Amino acid sequence: MNLDHVFVCGQPALDFAATLRARRSLRFEMFATPERLDAWYVESGIVDTVTRSRPADVDRARRVREAIYALVTARRRGEPFGDPALEVLNEAARTPTAAPQLTRAGRRTDATPEQALAAVARQAVELLSGPDVPLLKECGNPECTRVYVDRSRGMRRHWCGMESCGNKIKAAAYRARKRAAPDAVADVPAELGAR
C-alpha cells in the first residue's frame, strides 16, 4: 500500500496539509484516489488500518486539508482565523475517533475514513492551540508550500526536508556557482591572473 507519501513536517496535521504540493505553481494532488487517501492514513501512523474510502471521503478530506492549511497560514502570519475554515475543522474534530485496542501483538487502531480524518483534525486543533505555534515555518524553497515545526537549535532550519527541498536548492545553487566561475576567472585582469 506504500505510495511514497512524505512525512517531513514534524506533525501529522501539517503533513496532511502538505498533500497538495506546490500550491503556488503545479498544484500536485496526492489524494487523487480513495486508495491514496487510505494509504496516507496508514503510512502516517494515525491508524493501523482503515476501511476503504469512497470518493466522498476524499472530497471531505480535501476540505479538511484546505481548512487546516488556511488556519495554519493564518496562525503563522499572526492573522485571525477565518470562520469557514474553523467550521470545517471543528466539525471534523467533533467526529469520534477510533479507539486503540490492545492485542497480543501490541496496540492496534482500526478506523473508518471518518474516524481517521477526525484524528487528523484533532491533531490540527492541538497544534494550532498549543506551544508549537511559534515554531511554525514555511519551507524556504519558493516552489514548496509545506509548513513544518522547526525544532532545530536556534530555529535555523530553512527547508521542510533536506531530501526533498534542501538538496534541490543547494544543488541548484552549486550549479549556478559553477556556471559563474569561468566568467569570474575571465574577468580577472591579465597581470593578476599570471601570478
Side-chain angles (χ1 to χ4, degrees):
M1 194 180 217
N2 187 331
L3 295 170
D4 298 323
H5 291 289
V6 178
F7 302 93
V8 296
C9 299
Q11 210 273 355
L14 293 177
D15 288 315
F16 192 77
T19 59
L20 179 60
R21 299 207 181 139
R23 290 170 180 269
R24 290 188 277 274
S25 57
L26 303 173
R27 297 182 63 86
F28 180 75
E29 176 62 67
M30 295 299 295
F31 295 156
T33 65
E35 293 77 21
R36 290 190 66 113
L37 174 63
D38 295 343
W40 189 93
Y41 288 139
V42 173
E43 291 174 34
S44 70
I46 293 285
V47 297
D48 295 300
T49 64
V50 63
T51 56
R52 187 172 293 198
S53 289
R54 301 175 314 274
D57 297 313
V58 175
D59 293 340
R60 188 176 308 111
R62 287 178 181 172
R63 282 193 304 276
V64 171
R65 177 192 63 199
E66 294 311 301
I68 292 170
Y69 185 78
L71 295 166
V72 166
T73 300
R75 179 63 76 197
R76 196 174 50 76
R77 293 178 177 167
E79 298 170 356
F81 290 141
D83 289 336
L86 279 173
E87 185 177 321
V88 168
L89 179 65
N90 287 329
E91 180 183 343
R94 280 191 293 271
T95 302
T97 58
Q101 301 293 301
L102 186 62
T103 69
R104 286 185 171 85
R107 178 186 167 160
R108 182 171 181 83
T109 305
D110 301 316
T112 65
E114 295 84 7
Q115 292 170 324
L117 185 59
V120 173
R122 289 179 186 193
Q123 291 272 335
V125 168
E126 292 301 317
L127 172 69
L128 292 167
S129 62
D132 286 342
V133 168
L135 307 179
L136 296 176
K137 288 173 82 174
E138 187 176 65
C139 182
N141 178 352
E143 295 300 315
C144 183
T145 54
R146 286 185 186 124
V147 175
Y148 59 92
V149 178
D150 184 0
R151 291 189 178 95
S152 66
R153 182 176 287 189
M155 287 188 60
R156 293 165 30 148
R157 183 173 160 191
H158 297 287
W159 323 109
C160 60
M162 282 306 294
E163 303 80 29
S164 51
C165 292
N167 286 338
K168 289 177 189 173
I169 297 296
K170 288 184 174 196
Y174 174 78
R175 287 191 298 274
R177 285 193 307 274
K178 291 296 268 185
R179 281 193 302 271
D183 295 338
V185 171
D187 292 340
V188 175
E191 61 274 3
L192 294 177
R195 291 184 181 173

